[in-house]
Amino acid sequence: MIVKTEDLVFAYQTDDEKTVTALNGVSLEIEKGSFTAVLGRNGSGKSTLAKNINALLLPSSGVVYVNGYDTKNEEFLWEIRKSAGMVFQNPDNQLVSATVEDDVAFGPENIGVPQEEIRERVTEALQLVGMQEYEKSTLSFLSGGQKQRIAIAGVVAMRPDCIVMDEPTAMLDPQGRKAVMRIARRLNDEGITVILITHFMEEAACAGRVIVMDDGKILLDGTPAEVFEHTDEIKHAGLALPPVVDLIGRLRKRGVEVPATIISGEDFLKWVSA
Ligand code: ADP
Ligand code: MG
């Protein structure tokens, strides 16, 4: 188990001394090597969960373990940060250097990786995100999507076991979104555990497991096919079903027996034309 939370509660204290309970009893186990999508409307607690996994926030009550380390134990903070890397929505907030190679090298340099190995890690990470030709480029000349790929490379260069991506495609155009999704899958193929937070249901379809959050709690948890069957709950949670899943739901209501495993437009077309 790479991530485990037990009855995790997190409350923010606001300036006017109010308490906002953002997570209200989340118990969750994420297996090593898995690809999990976390869905939920704005304010459902997704980012708060991500920050608890990275020990940027500590539980108000309950426990979070990353690779077996309790995040409350300060002694293991660096182990936890190395195990679980974070990618945020806005790449501009996480890029720290002027050039691509310096930026990707920044993390490994900070943890004292030898110079020679840093070179290797930078090359490898840039290859993984398909940005190797940009090694010498200036970050400010890159598009949003390219910057996000560099931000991901920076996390990859830390050789984490797990990467938590908090709406990494939210600010990107469709092409940038597709590239980031391909990279997420490639990372997972390389054995890295991926936790992808998104409000795009189509993106969740390519995960092995989907968790739907609502009001600080886990509402649904299962394979994409299992979760997408709960159309009423999904709509109640303020999410829009992918058009093809919505269509399949309507067909089923009219007695057409579409197999439950079909959740993508591609699969649906294949099934229709078979
Ligand atoms: P999501 O990422 O799903 O949009 P968040 O985890 O950001 O949700 O927020 C969950 C809840 O916590 C929301 O009600 C939000 O308003 C509140 N919240 C988030 N950050 C803060 C903060 N820094 N101070 C007070 N309340 C916050
Ligand atoms: Mg968020």
Side-chain angles (χ1 to χ4, degrees):
M1 222 52 72
I2 180 87
V3 174
K4 184 172 177 185
T5 74
E6 284 174 356
D7 208 10
L8 168 61
V9 174
F10 185 88
Y12 291 97
Q13 304 299 330
T14 62
D15 297 337
D16 49 353
E17 294 184 1
K18 281 193 200 122
T19 306
V20 179
T21 306
L23 295 174
N24 196 0
V26 172
S27 297
L28 178 66
E29 293 188 358
I30 307 264
E31 246 176 275
K32 237 185 182 137
S34 59
F35 189 141
T36 305
V38 179
L39 284 167
R41 76 172 120 207
N42 251 342
S44 58
K46 306 180 299 296
S47 294
T48 307
L49 177 63
K51 288 175 188 159
N52 270 275
I53 292 173
N54 196 243
L56 286 169
L57 297 174
L58 297 176
S60 305
S61 70
V63 197
V64 177
Y65 299 100
V66 175
N67 246 344
Y69 300 115
D70 182 338
T71 57
K72 278 203 181 116
N73 195 332
E74 276 175 39
E75 220 181 301
F76 300 125
L77 184 65
W78 280 105
E79 288 303 322
I80 289 165
R81 294 269 167 87
K82 267 195 288 179
S83 301
M86 275 293 270
V87 175
F88 297 95
Q89 202 174 87
N90 187 346
D92 287 328
N93 293 344
Q94 47 193 328
L95 300 173
V96 288
S97 311
T99 68
V100 167
E101 67 174 338
D102 287 352
D103 201 82
V104 179
F106 181 81
E109 260 162 13
N110 262 310
I111 55 168
V113 175
Q115 210 54 38
E116 194 129 305
E117 192 187 325
I118 292 180
R119 302 282 340 123
E120 268 170 42
R121 288 191 184 202
V122 169
T123 307
E124 189 188 277
L126 287 175
Q127 260 165 8
L128 229 141
V129 302
M131 289 292 287
Q132 56 273 44
E133 309 98 273
Y134 293 87
E135 188 170 340
K136 305 287 176 197
S137 299
T138 304
L139 279 168
S140 53
F141 292 143
L142 302 184
S143 72
Q146 289 173 326
K147 282 188 200 165
Q148 192 58 298
R149 286 152 75 178
I150 298 306
I152 296 170
V155 175
V156 169
M158 297 294 279
R159 305 232 162 113
D161 301 306
C162 173
I163 297 187
V164 185
M165 300 191 184
D166 191 358
E167 306 208 30
T169 64
M171 303 186 69
L172 309 184
D173 59 18
Q175 202 189 343
R177 280 174 53 191
K178 274 194 197 132
V180 167
M181 287 308 295
R182 268 199 305 276
I183 291 163
R185 277 194 299 264
R186 195 179 302 158
L187 295 175
N188 187 240
D189 291 340
E190 297 283 321
I192 299 175
T193 309
V194 175
I195 303 175
L196 172 75
I197 295 171
T198 178
H199 60 253
F200 295 111
M201 300 261 319
E202 314 85 271
E203 293 183 353
C206 72
R209 177 182 180 192
V210 177
I211 291 169
V212 177
M213 307 244 336
D214 189 31
D215 204 13
K217 293 197 181 82
I218 294 176
L219 180 71
L220 297 167
D221 182 357
T223 64
E226 283 162 0
V227 166
F228 290 170
E229 266 189 274
H230 295 265
T231 49
D232 292 343
E233 276 137 305
I234 285 172
K235 283 178 191 161
H236 177 79
L239 297 167
L241 283 170
V244 67
V245 173
D246 196 33
L247 173 67
I248 290 168
R250 284 162 200 263
L251 286 171
R252 285 213 188 95
K253 278 192 184 141
R254 296 190 179 192
V256 183
E257 287 175 23
V258 187
T261 50
I262 294 177
I263 48 171
S264 72
E266 220 170 288
D267 291 347
F268 182 68
L269 281 179
K270 264 190 216 150
W271 178 77
V272 169
S273 49

